[in-house]
Amino acid sequence: MQEERKILYSAVQPTNNLTIGNYIGAVSNWVNLQSQYDCVFAIANMHAITVRQNPAELRKNTLSLLALYIACGIDPQKCVLYLQSHVPAHAELAWVLNTFTYVGEMERMTQFKDKSAKHADNINMGLMDYPVLMAADILLYRADVVPVGVDQRQHLEITRDIAVRFNNIYSPTFTVPEGLYMKVGAKIGDLLEPSKKMSKSAENANGSVFLSDDRDTIIRKFRRAVTDSEACVKYDPENKPGVSNLLSIYSVFSGQSIEECERRFEGKGYGDFKLAVGEVVADKLAPIQTEQAKLLADKAYLDGVLKDGAERAARRANRTLSKVYKKIGFYQL
C-alpha cells in the first residue's frame, strides 16, 4: 500500500516583480517539492492588500505570477494551485482564529513593526492581523510542513501556538505544522547591501534582480554587486557577506555545491566571478521568461487553472472549516 504523502502549504503575494531571492527561496523549491509532497500553493492576494495596491496592477500581477509559477515548472495537475480570495474559508477561519490570538502576540511580530515603520500613514488592522490570516491559510489545509525562510519563522511559530491552543480547548482539530528550512538560498541578500534580504520592494532596485529583468540588466546589476578588497572567492558569510551571497546564487543557478563553486573560481578575479554569476542567472531565466509570455497570451487557460484550483482548494478548506464551526458551537444547516 502506497504511503500517504505529507501535505505541504506555501504562498506568495502577487505584489511587484518577484526577485531571484523569491525564486530561490520559494518557487524553485516548490518545483522540487511537488514530487515529494501533496502540495497546496497559493497566490496570496488577500495578504497583499494590507498595503495599498493599484487594483488594475494587482489583477495584472496575479495572472503574471500564476503564469510564472507554471513557467517555472509548477504543474497544476500535480498540486493544488489557486488564488487565495477565491476560497472564502480563509477569511472565515481567520475570524475564528482571531478569538484565540492575543493582541500582545501580534504587537510583538517583527514584520508588523517593520511594515508599520515603512507605512506609517496606513497602520491598519490587516497589517497587524496578517499572521492570523497566514495561520488560517496553513491550518485550513491540514499542512504537515511549511517551507519557511529565516524571516518567516516567527509567523510559523504563532501558527503552531494558535493550533495547539485551539486543540487543547476543543480536542485535536488542526495539524500542528513543522517548518521546512532550506539550507542554501534560504536568505538571498541584496546585491548592494548583502546584510539585508533581497526584496521586491527595495528602495534601490539595483540591489535586487527581478525575474522579469532582461539579460543586459541582470549582468549590469551583478557587475555592480558589492564584494570586498580581498580578491578571493570564498564562502564566509560573516567576513565576506557580498562574495558569499554571490556564491549562494551561483550555486543554486548552476546546480553545483558551494565547494565546487569555490574551486571553479579559485585564482579568478571578482570581475570574472561577477560576470559568471550574471550569465548563469540570465541563462536560467531566459526560457522561463519566454514560457511566461506564452502563457500570459492564453488568458482562457490561466482562468481555467484558477477555476479548477479554487474548486479543489475549497473542498479541502471547507472540510476543515466545517469541523471548526462544529467544535466551537456554530449552528450549521
Side-chain angles (χ1 to χ4, degrees), residues 274-307:
K274 290 195 279 189
L275 175 62
V277 181
E279 286 179 336
V280 78
V281 171
D283 288 347
K284 181 81 173 179
L285 295 187
I288 292 172
Q289 291 169 345
T290 302
E291 182 62 19
Q292 182 190 24
K294 187 174 142 192
L295 288 163
L296 281 170
D298 191 350
K299 186 172 176 290
Y301 168 72
L302 295 177
D303 283 351
V305 169
L306 288 178
K307 186 172 184 294

Side-chain angles (χ1 to χ4, degrees), residues 225-235 239-244 246-247 262 265-274:
V226 302
T227 47
D228 52 50
S229 57
E230 209 176 84
C232 171
V233 179
K234 184 183 170 190
Y235 190 76
N239 300 307
K240 297 170 72 67
V243 172
S244 300
L246 293 175
L247 269 171
E262 285 178 326
F265 294 105
E266 197 174 342
K268 297 268 179 76
Y270 284 161
D272 290 342
F273 172 50
K274 290 195 279 189

Side-chain angles (χ1 to χ4, degrees), residues 115-188:
K115 286 206 170 182
S116 295
K118 257 189 197 176
H119 305 278
D121 59 333
N122 183 27
I123 305 173
N124 59 74
M125 283 308 300
L127 202 59
M128 179 181 274
D129 209 32
Y130 186 107
V132 181
L133 179 57
M134 186 183 281
D137 299 341
I138 296 164
L139 299 177
L140 271 176
Y141 299 94
R142 297 180 295 109
D144 298 290
V145 293
V146 180
V148 278
V150 177
D151 59 329
Q152 292 290 351
R153 287 188 186 202
Q154 209 181 16
H155 285 163
L156 181 62
E157 285 309 311
I158 197 68
T159 298
R160 288 170 54 82
D161 290 346
I162 293 168
V164 168
R165 197 172 291 156
F166 189 97
N167 289 350
N168 286 343
I169 295 170
Y170 291 108
S171 77
T173 307
F174 295 122
T175 300
V176 181
E178 299 288 338
L180 190 64
Y181 298 99
M182 302 298 166
K183 286 182 183 174
V184 176
K187 184 177 180 180
I188 294 298

Side-chain angles (χ1 to χ4, degrees), residues 44 74 289 321 323:
I74 291 167
Q289 291 169 345
L321 187 67
K323 194 185 287 186

Side-chain angles (χ1 to χ4, degrees), residues 32-305:
N32 299 324
L33 294 169
Q34 66 185 342
S35 59
Q36 302 167 43
Y37 293 91
D38 175 8
C39 291
V40 182
F41 297 134
I43 297 171
N45 60 337
M46 291 168 72
H47 284 287
I49 62 168
T50 56
V51 174
R52 291 282 172 265
Q53 301 294 332
N54 176 302
E57 277 183 20
L58 183 59
R59 281 188 287 270
K60 182 186 172 189
N61 289 342
T62 297
L63 278 188
S64 181
L65 183 56
L66 176 67
L68 182 67
Y69 280 176
I70 299 168
C72 286
I74 291 167
D75 185 346
Q77 301 301 313
K78 287 184 181 176
C79 60
V80 178
L81 181 57
Y82 74 103
L83 182 59
Q84 189 184 26
S85 64
H86 286 168
V87 182
H90 285 262
E92 295 178 68
L93 182 59
W95 177 253
V96 174
L97 297 184
N98 274 326
T99 66
F100 295 87
T101 310
Y102 305 121
V103 174
E105 290 175 315
M106 295 296 94
E107 288 175 335
R108 286 195 295 274
M109 287 285 143
T110 306
Q111 193 176 61
F112 172 66
K113 291 176 187 173
D114 291 348
K115 286 206 170 182
S116 295
K118 257 189 197 176
H119 305 278
D121 59 333
N122 183 27
I123 305 173
N124 59 74
M125 283 308 300
L127 202 59
M128 179 181 274
D129 209 32
Y130 186 107
V132 181
L133 179 57
M134 186 183 281
D137 299 341
I138 296 164
L139 299 177
L140 271 176
Y141 299 94
R142 297 180 295 109
D144 298 290
V145 293
V146 180
V148 278
V150 177
D151 59 329
Q152 292 290 351
R153 287 188 186 202
Q154 209 181 16
H155 285 163
L156 181 62
E157 285 309 311
I158 197 68
T159 298
R160 288 170 54 82
D161 290 346
I162 293 168
V164 168
R165 197 172 291 156
F166 189 97
N167 289 350
N168 286 343
I169 295 170
Y170 291 108
S171 77
T173 307
F174 295 122
T175 300
V176 181
E178 299 288 338
L180 190 64
Y181 298 99
M182 302 298 166
K183 286 182 183 174
V184 176
K187 184 177 180 180
I188 294 298
D190 186 285
L191 297 186
L192 302 179
E193 295 183 78
S195 61
K196 289 184 179 176
K197 182 183 173 184
M198 186 180 285
S199 170
K200 49 186 183 173
S201 55
E203 286 177 25
N204 189 342
N206 287 315
S208 298
V209 177
F210 299 100
L211 299 192
S212 57
D213 283 344
D214 61 41
R215 187 179 188 85
D216 288 347
T217 302
I218 292 168
I219 289 171
R220 174 177 54 77
K221 285 181 177 180
F222 276 107
R223 280 191 187 278
R224 292 179 178 176
V226 302
T227 47
D228 52 50
S229 57
E230 209 176 84
C232 171
V233 179
K234 184 183 170 190
Y235 190 76
D236 181 355
E238 196 173 322
N239 300 307
K240 297 170 72 67
V243 172
S244 300
N245 188 40
L246 293 175
L247 269 171
S248 288
I249 294 168
Y250 189 87
S251 171
V252 173
F253 279 92
S254 68
Q256 297 173 26
S257 69
I258 293 287
E259 292 76 17
E260 287 171 325
C261 297
E262 285 178 326
R263 284 197 295 274
R264 174 167 174 7
F265 294 105
E266 197 174 342
K268 297 268 179 76
Y270 284 161
D272 290 342
F273 172 50
K274 290 195 279 189
L275 175 62
V277 181
E279 286 179 336
V280 78
V281 171
D283 288 347
K284 181 81 173 179
L285 295 187
I288 292 172
Q289 291 169 345
T290 302
E291 182 62 19
Q292 182 190 24
K294 187 174 142 192
L295 288 163
L296 281 170
D298 191 350
K299 186 172 176 290
Y301 168 72
L302 295 177
D303 283 351
V305 169

